[in-house]
Amino acid sequence: MKEHLEELLSQSLLHLVRDGYLGSECDIVPQLERTRTPEHGEFASNIAMVLAKRAGKPPRELAQAIIDKLPNSRQLNYAEIAGPGFINFHMDHVALTTVVKDILYHGDRYGHQPQNPDNEVTVEFVSANPTGPLHVGHGRGAAYGASLANILQAAGYKVQREYYVNDHGRQMDILAVSVWLRYLELCGEKLRFPDNGYRGDYIYNIAREVRNEIGDKWRFRGQDVLDGLPPDEAHGGDREVHIDAFIDRAREFLGQAGYEVFFETSVNSILVDIQQDLAAFGVKFDYWFSEKELEDSGALDHAIKRLEDNGHLYTKDGASWFRASELGDEKDRVVIRENGRTTYFASDIAYFLNKMERGFKKAIYIFGADHHGYIARLRAAAKGLGEDPECLEILLVQFAVLYRQGEKVAMSTRSGQFITLRELREEVGSDAARFFYVMRSHDQHLDFDLDLAKSQSNENPVYYIQYAHARICSVFRNLEEMNETHNEAIGEAALDLLTEPNEIKLLRELSRYPEAIETAARLRAPHQLAHYLQSLATEFHAYYNSHQFLVDDENIRNVRLNLILAAKIVLANGLELLGISAPESM
RNA sequence: GCGCCCGUAGCUCAACCGGAUAGAGCAUCAGCCUUCUAAGCUGAGGGUUGCAGGUUCGAGUCCUGCCGGGCGCGCCA
C-alpha cells in the first residue's frame, strides 16, 4: 500500500519537474509516513514543505499542485492539504481489504522481501570467550543479534550469523590452569587457588571430567607446584605476575601433551555448553569462527602484511605498531608484541579482512557497550587495510542490569558470581526472556528485575501477544466442533463487509507489517517489531471483545475468519522473527 | 582529565532523515464474563521531554554550555 502511494507521488513530482514548476532537478525521494490519527488519513507527506523553498512557492500552493498531478488510483480515495502544507492521503476501503488477500496468499512470506544474493551481510554476535557459561549479560546480545539477523533476512538481506571463538589467548591459559588446579584438589592435593583464576563450579565439573578420563596421571604434589612462585595479590604480590608464573609452571609440569589435555578439554567442554545453551534459546549460528584458525591459516600474517604494504606499520620498542592515530583512532596500537606474539587486536583486523574477502558487503558487529572503544579502532583498521570503512558497522548493546529484591546483582565471570543465561531461561522461560531482551532499544540500558520476571511472568507482554495467537487458533477449533468449515473464497468475495471500526483498525495494523519489518531492519531495531506485535495484538483483542466471529451469516462469518486468519499469520511471522513460539493454545 | 552512550508520566520504556494534540505497559481509580479462552476489553487521572541558550515554517529529535547516570581509556582478552 505504501509502495503504491510512493509511486503515485513520484509520478506527480515528475510531472511538476517536467512542467518547470520545481526548477531543474528533483532527486528527492518523497517521504511518506503513517499518520498519528485517522483524521489525517492513512499516510501523510511533508514533501511540499520540504520543496517549498526550492520551488519558490508557498507550501500549501505547492501541495495543491502536487495533488492535482496525482494519477488516478482506485486505492486512493482522496488527498487533501492540511496544516502548514502536509498532504494527507485517505485510502479507499479496497486498499485496506486487499491486505487480507495479500496475507492469505503469501502466508509466512507476507511482508518479507525476496532474498537478494548481492546484499550479503555477516552479523557477528555473542562471541563470548569460552571461559565459562554464558551469563545474562550475553543473553541480551544473543537475543538482539539473533532477532536482528532474522529481521534483516526478512528484509531481503542474505545473512550469515557468526560467533567468533577466542580459543587462543592468555585467558584460555588461565582457564586451563584453573581446571588443572581443581583437578589436583580432586586428587587430594591442598593448594591455594590464585586470585586471578576462574572460580565457578563449572571448573570443578570440567576437572572431574578430565579425572574420570585419565585418573591421577597429571597429579603432582601441591607443594612442588607452588614452590618458588612469585606471591599472589593477597600476599602483597601482583596477581598477573603470579598467574603467568602459574601458567609457565603448568606447561613445565604437564608438558605439551598434558597441557593440551587440560586446555582442549576446557575449551571444548565450555563451547559445547555454550552451543547447547544458545540452541535452547533459539539462537543459531551458521559459522563458529575459531581465532586459532586465523593464525594457522595464515590469515593473520596476510592481514599484517597488508597493513605493512599500505605503509601503516612501524617499529618501536621492539614491537610492531599500527599507525591508527592517523586513521581516526585516538592512539597507535600494537599488533605484534615485543615477545613476538600478535595482539588480540591483530586477530580482529585479520578477522575483518577475512570477512571482506569472503565477499560480504557489510560486516555487522554486535558488541557490549563496554567495547565502544573498538569503533574507532576497527574503523582505522578497515581504512588501513584499504577496505571501505562503510562496510563495517558496529552496534553497541547497552548492559542489562539485573535486580533482585530491588538490589543490583553484582556479576563477575572470574569470581564465579553470576546468573547464567541458562538459569534465566529456566526461571522465566525462553520466550519471555527473548522478548524482554529485545523490547527495548539496544542503546538503552535494560533493567531486568528477576523477581518481577519470575513472579509475575503471567503479566509479561509476550503472553499478551501469544494469547492473541492462541485465541485465534481456538476460534478455528470451535468452528470445527460446530462442524463448519472456513470457506476462504466466500470470505474473499465479501471483503467489503469489513466496515466495523475495529475491523478497519485491525486492517490498518496488518497493512503496516511490511513497514515495521523494513523500519526494524533499517534502524537495526528489533524492538520496533516487538512494539508492532503488541499493538497488533491490542487491535485483535479489541476486535475479539467487540464482535462475534462465528455468526450465522456465512458471508460475515467467512470474511471475519479471513481477517483473523490473516492476523494469526502475521502474529506468527513476527514472533518467529523474534525467536518466540506462537502457541496454539494457552 | 579525555572520549563514547544515555536522561521523556510515580515505575519500566516508545516516538521510523526534524512534523500536526509526545504514546504504551505496570501501578491507581471506575466499569464489562448466560455467547468464539477475563493471560482479555472499555473508560479516567497522570508531562515545562534534566537545565539554559541557539538553528527554522516546525525541535523529545540537530548545535553549544551546564547538571546527573553508565561505560571506556593496557605490548589484557
Side-chain angles (χ1 to χ4, degrees):
Chain A
M1 184 156 67
K2 189 183 180 191
E3 273 178 30
H4 178 67
L5 256 191
E6 279 170 348
E7 181 57 31
L8 297 182
L9 244 181
S10 296
Q11 286 190 22
S12 167
L13 289 171
L14 220 64
H15 258 98
L16 293 176
V17 172
R18 217 175 296 149
D19 296 351
Y21 201 88
L22 280 175
S24 55
E25 206 182 322
C26 181
D27 53 355
I28 291 195
V29 191
Q31 292 174 45
L32 266 182
E33 55 178 36
R34 287 278 173 173
T35 55
R36 282 184 199 275
T37 139
E39 291 127 53
H40 295 146
E42 237 68 52
F43 293 93
S45 176
N46 62 356
I47 188 77
M49 289 179 286
V50 174
L51 293 180
K53 212 172 257 179
R54 201 141 142 192
K57 300 272 194 298
R60 289 184 65 101
E61 191 186 323
L62 181 58
Q64 189 57 54
I66 292 171
I67 290 173
D68 290 344
K69 293 291 181 190
L70 281 174
N72 284 325
S73 163
R74 60 192 286 262
Q75 291 206 25
L76 178 63
N77 195 343
Y78 64 97
E80 63 177 356
I81 305 171
F86 290 104
I87 303 174
N88 290 338
F89 296 90
H90 295 259
M91 306 307 288
D92 192 89
H93 186 250
V94 74
L96 282 173
T97 55
T98 301
V99 168
V100 175
K101 263 193 262 185
D102 277 357
I103 296 170
L104 297 188
Y105 178 74
H106 289 102
D108 58 13
R109 298 289 308 158
Y110 172 69
H112 297 196
Q113 300 296 317
Q115 198 172 83
N116 178 359
D118 294 332
N119 219 344
E120 207 172 345
V121 299
T122 160
V123 181
E124 183 205 327
F125 57 110
V126 189
S127 295
N129 287 355
T131 53
L134 295 177
H135 55 68
V136 290
H138 299 122
R140 191 175 189 191
Y144 175 74
S147 300
L148 179 61
N150 290 345
I151 288 167
L152 289 172
Q153 199 163 305
Y157 291 87
K158 185 160 188 249
V159 179
Q160 165 129 321
R161 300 152 175 87
E162 301 196 23
Y163 187 119
Y164 181 62
V165 183
N166 283 129
D167 50 7
H168 197 49
R170 179 164 165 272
Q171 291 307 315
M172 301 311 304
D173 287 319
I174 296 176
L175 173 73
V177 166
S178 300
V179 171
W180 182 48
L181 288 174
R182 293 309 192 197
Y183 164 88
L184 291 174
E185 270 181 45
L186 291 174
C187 292
E189 295 297 330
K190 290 251 183 294
L191 298 114
R192 190 184 164 279
F193 198 78
D195 296 336
N196 220 8
Y198 288 98
R199 293 181 177 277
D201 288 341
Y202 61 95
I203 299 290
Y204 278 112
N205 295 336
I206 300 169
R208 212 165 283 126
E209 198 181 312
V210 175
R211 189 149 182 260
N212 288 341
E213 196 87 352
I214 54 161
D216 286 5
K217 185 176 173 190
W218 304 109
R219 174 175 183 173
F220 298 89
R221 283 182 55 209
Q223 213 178 337
D224 296 342
V225 171
L226 296 173
D227 188 43
L229 286 178
D232 206 348
E233 190 166 78
H235 296 144
D238 184 322
R239 63 202 313 209
E240 305 294 343
V241 171
H242 178 77
I243 197 81
D244 281 337
F246 229 127
I247 293 169
D248 290 342
R249 182 63 52 91
R251 288 183 194 277
E252 178 191 327
F253 275 47
L254 293 168
Q256 177 76 10
Y259 192 78
E260 258 176 34
V261 167
F262 284 93
F263 192 95
E264 298 294 333
T265 309
S266 306
V267 176
N268 291 337
S269 156
I270 289 172
L271 211 51
V272 166
D273 177 78
I274 287 175
Q275 287 170 340
Q276 289 171 348
D277 201 9
L278 287 170
F281 198 40
V283 176
K284 300 218 169 59
F285 288 90
D286 303 305
Y287 198 5
W288 295 76
F289 193 97
S290 156
E291 183 191 0
K292 212 186 296 180
E293 207 69 4
L294 275 178
E295 185 166 3
D296 297 346
S297 69
L300 199 50
D301 293 337
H302 169 59
I304 291 173
K305 183 164 185 303
R306 175 83 77 89
L307 290 179
E308 174 106 61
D309 292 347
N310 291 349
H312 295 299
L313 293 188
Y314 66 92
T315 307
K316 192 181 88 182
D317 303 331
S320 190
W321 294 70
F322 170 47
R323 221 183 295 273
S325 60
E326 288 183 359
L327 299 168
D329 198 2
E330 50 184 70
K331 58 178 80 164
D332 291 349
R333 309 281 176 184
V334 172
V335 287
I336 305 176
R337 285 183 281 231
E338 195 181 359
N339 63 14
R341 298 191 64 178
T342 53
T343 58
Y344 186 86
F345 180 47
S347 297
D348 288 338
I349 297 170
Y351 186 26
F352 174 70
L353 180 58
N354 173 276
K355 285 173 178 171
M356 290 296 101
E357 288 179 343
R358 276 186 279 145
F360 292 108
K361 297 282 184 303
K362 200 164 251 260
I364 297 178
Y365 290 74
I366 294 166
F367 286 151
D370 55 335
H371 281 61
H372 62 70
Y374 274 49
I375 297 177
R377 201 181 305 184
L378 277 175
R379 284 184 75 88
K383 288 182 209 162
L385 289 166
E387 300 288 337
D388 181 1
E390 292 304 309
C391 293
L392 172 72
E393 182 174 331
I394 298 176
L395 300 169
L396 297 178
V397 177
Q398 297 294 321
F399 286 160
V401 182
L402 285 179
Y403 288 86
R404 174 162 272 160
Q405 275 142 30
E407 298 274 313
K408 212 169 170 175
V409 181
M411 288 199 295
S412 143
T413 315
R414 197 65 57 78
S415 68
Q417 282 185 345
F418 51 79
I419 300 188
T420 62
L421 177 58
R422 183 169 280 117
E423 286 167 340
L424 180 74
R425 252 188 20 242
E426 284 163 0
E427 284 170 11
V428 311
S430 186
D431 285 341
R434 285 289 299 256
F435 194 82
F436 259 90
Y437 274 131
V438 298
M439 66 190 289
R440 307 294 180 219
S441 171
H442 67 93
D443 57 14
Q444 282 289 342
H445 291 265
L446 179 68
D447 285 342
F448 209 126
D449 188 325
L450 284 169
D451 300 305
L452 194 75
K454 276 184 261 171
S455 66
Q456 301 189 7
S457 59
N458 279 1
E459 288 169 17
N460 279 342
V462 65
Y463 289 98
Y464 181 80
I465 299 168
Q466 291 180 316
Y467 184 45
H469 185 269
R471 265 184 158 176
I472 297 171
C473 294
S474 173
V475 171
F476 282 97
R477 279 195 299 271
N478 288 324
L479 181 72
E480 258 179 63
E481 277 175 28
M482 294 162 62
N483 285 317
E484 292 279 358
T485 51
H486 173 207
N487 188 322
E488 284 189 29
I490 293 177
E492 187 168 321
L495 281 172
D496 55 346
L497 295 179
L498 293 176
T499 51
E500 297 290 339
N502 283 300
E503 292 170 337
I504 301 295
K505 287 171 83 179
L506 181 53
L507 285 166
R508 188 175 284 136
E509 205 59 33
L510 289 170
S511 74
R512 218 163 59 81
Y513 180 64
E515 295 156 43
I517 297 286
E518 192 276 330
T519 304
R522 179 165 40 84
L523 300 177
R524 318 296 193 224
H527 76 277
Q528 295 265 355
L529 180 57
H531 283 275
Y532 168 78
L533 290 174
Q534 279 191 90
S535 63
L536 177 57
T538 297
E539 295 306 342
F540 169 75
H541 286 308
Y543 183 35
Y544 182 95
N545 275 275
S546 61
H547 293 86
Q548 194 76 15
F549 309 143
L550 301 179
V551 293
D552 291 336
D553 184 310
E554 83 171 349
N555 287 321
I556 294 182
R557 184 177 69 238
N558 280 298
V559 77
R560 287 185 175 171
L561 289 173
N562 277 26
L563 176 57
I564 65 169
L565 180 58
K568 179 189 135 163
I569 289 170
V570 173
L571 285 167
N573 289 1
L575 287 171
E576 167 84 22
L577 295 181
L578 296 180
I580 297 167
S581 67
E584 305 259 312
S585 66
M586 291 174 72

